[in-house]
Every structure is written in C-alpha cells, then in structure tokens.
Amino acid sequence: DGDLVCPTMTSHIWEKCRIPDKNIIFPRESWGGLWGRSLSEKKSLIANENLKAPMGHLRLDNAMAVPIINQNKVIGQFVLANKEEGYTKQDLALLEKAANQTASILQTLLDKIEQQKLQDRLDRVNRELHKVESLNRMAGAIAHNYNNLLTIVIAGVEMAIENLPEDDQRARRSLNYALDAANKGGDIGSMLLMYLGQSKGKEVITDLMQLSKDFLNTFD
C-alpha cells in the first residue's frame, strides 16, 4: 500500500530497541532520516556522522541505505548501520550490486503476493455471487409457490361469490374485498418474479410526447 514493511531485521537489535509501540510497518508519512531520504529520492546514501535516532532507538554511529529499484520503482531497501570504521564508497557499490541482483527476485515475490491477493479477492466475489444466485433461486421458488397458492385462493373466492344468494350483499362485499386483496397480492408476486428476471413485464406502447406534456402540466 505504499508503506515500508521490514520483514527482516537483525534479531538482537530488535530486542534491544526500546522505541514505544515499535513495529515493522512504517507509513509513508512517517519516513525520515537517512533511510527515509533514500526511499523518497531513490538514492543510495551514506552517513558516517551526525546521525540522530528517535528516543529509545539504539545509538547510530554511521549508516548506509540503498533502495532496491525495479523499473524505476522502489520495491525495497537495504539498511546497514554501526560499522566500526564507517562505510566507504566500496561498501556502497557492493550493496548496490546486491540490490540490483535482488530487485528481480523481490519483484517476482511481490508479484506472486499481489496475484494471490487478487485471487483471494476474486474467490470472495465468486462466493458472494453464488450466495446471491442461491438467494435468487430461493426467492423465485417462493414467489412461484406464493402465486400458485394465491391462484387457488382467488379461484375459491370467485366460486364462493358465484354461489352466494343474491340477497346476501354483506357476504358478497366481504368476499369482493378478499378477492381484490388476493389480486393485489398476485401483482406483488408478479413484480417479484419480474425483479428476479424470471418473468417479463407487460409491454405498453407509450406516447412520449403526451407523457412529457402531462408531466409538465403538473407544474402549472
């Protein structure tokens, strides 16, 4: 993500470090000092004096930082410190050679990590799609069964209305209310199937000009 991650560090140095909340991840905005400049400027740097370290850090008498660059992109870094007699240009040239040889190997590893991340993300998306597909099938089956049951209800109510005595208006009104509600329930089931793509809505020829006029008239 653009941060510096140090997966390898001299173990006894790590144990002696007393920086509060020490971590191997360094966000870009926190980059500083010799190694921060080396990363930001994509340059190899040596300092054999005047090194300042954060509180709790081990004392630094000298240090050398070499960025690992692949296709003009910084993908890693070597940092060494506290050589007895200080670092020389020969030391720098040797570490730069190691960085150049490491660049292609490290890039291959980073590419594999990125490919695995993409594959994991794709697998998660596929699992979510399968869940959605299963839910759609289940919702479609429920909607079909719902419509089938409503068809039986509607048919039963219609038969009851036909068999009612003419003078039983109270019962007729109640059954008509029930029939109307059942038909509206059927519309809901049809809309659900249409939303799931398991049925087509009704196609109606529309005069767009008249529709626009009617819409504009609502603002008069």
Side-chain angles (χ1 to χ4, degrees):
D1 297 324
D3 299 332
L4 171 66
V5 181
C6 297
T8 56
M9 191 175 293
T10 308
S11 59
H12 73 281
I13 298 297
W14 174 262
E15 294 301 328
K16 292 178 182 179
C17 178
R18 293 293 179 264
I19 294 179
D21 303 321
K22 63 182 180 180
N23 204 312
I24 64 168
I25 300 175
F26 299 86
R28 181 180 289 270
E29 60 270 16
S30 71
W31 291 1
L34 185 78
W35 63 267
R37 282 181 50 214
S38 172
L39 288 173
S40 301
E41 299 174 13
K42 301 180 182 179
K43 289 170 58 177
S44 300
L45 298 173
I46 290 178
N48 286 316
E49 57 185 2
N50 300 325
L51 281 169
K52 293 182 180 180
M55 185 175 295
H57 197 285
L58 271 70
R59 176 181 171 179
L60 293 177
D61 297 320
N62 48 60
M64 176 170 62
V66 174
I68 303 173
I69 299 174
N70 184 71
Q71 296 181 353
N72 203 37
K73 179 183 177 182
V74 177
I75 59 172
Q77 186 183 47
F78 286 132
V79 181
L80 304 178
N82 292 345
K83 183 181 178 183
E84 282 191 12
E85 299 176 356
Y87 292 101
T88 65
K89 291 182 179 180
Q90 288 77 14
D91 294 328
L92 190 67
L94 184 62
L95 195 57
E96 284 178 335
K97 185 176 180 180
N100 290 335
Q101 293 176 342
T102 303
S104 59
I105 300 171
L106 180 56
Q107 186 63 59
T108 300
L109 292 173
L110 291 173
D111 289 343
K112 287 182 178 179
I113 292 171
E114 188 62 29
Q115 287 172 4
Q116 188 59 52
K117 285 182 180 178
L118 291 173
Q119 185 60 51
D120 292 343
R121 204 171 300 145
L122 181 61
D123 291 341
R124 285 197 299 272
V125 170
N126 284 332
R127 286 196 295 271
E128 292 300 320
L129 288 175
H130 285 312
K131 287 180 183 178
V132 171
E133 186 180 353
S134 298
L135 287 173
N136 282 344
R137 284 199 300 268
M138 183 175 68
I142 292 172
H144 278 296
N145 288 329
Y146 171 78
N147 283 344
N148 291 338
L149 292 171
L150 273 181
T151 300
I152 297 172
V153 171
I154 290 170
V157 173
E158 287 176 343
M159 288 180 63
I161 292 173
E162 290 179 4
N163 294 328
L164 272 177
E166 290 294 333
D167 57 348
D168 195 349
Q169 295 302 317
R170 183 177 178 183
R172 187 176 298 276
R173 279 196 301 272
S174 297
L175 288 172
N176 280 327
Y177 288 145
L179 182 62
D180 184 53
N183 282 321
K184 288 179 179 178
D187 291 339
I188 293 172
S190 298
M191 283 190 289
L192 180 57
L193 288 172
M194 187 168 59
Y195 173 76
L196 295 171
Q198 298 186 23
S199 69
K200 292 184 178 180
K202 294 180 181 178
E203 295 182 356
V204 179
I205 298 176
T206 303
D207 185 343
L208 292 179
M209 183 68 72
Q210 187 60 47
L211 188 65
S212 300
K213 289 179 180 179
D214 293 341
F215 177 73
L216 292 174
N217 288 336
T218 61
F219 293 96
D220 293 339

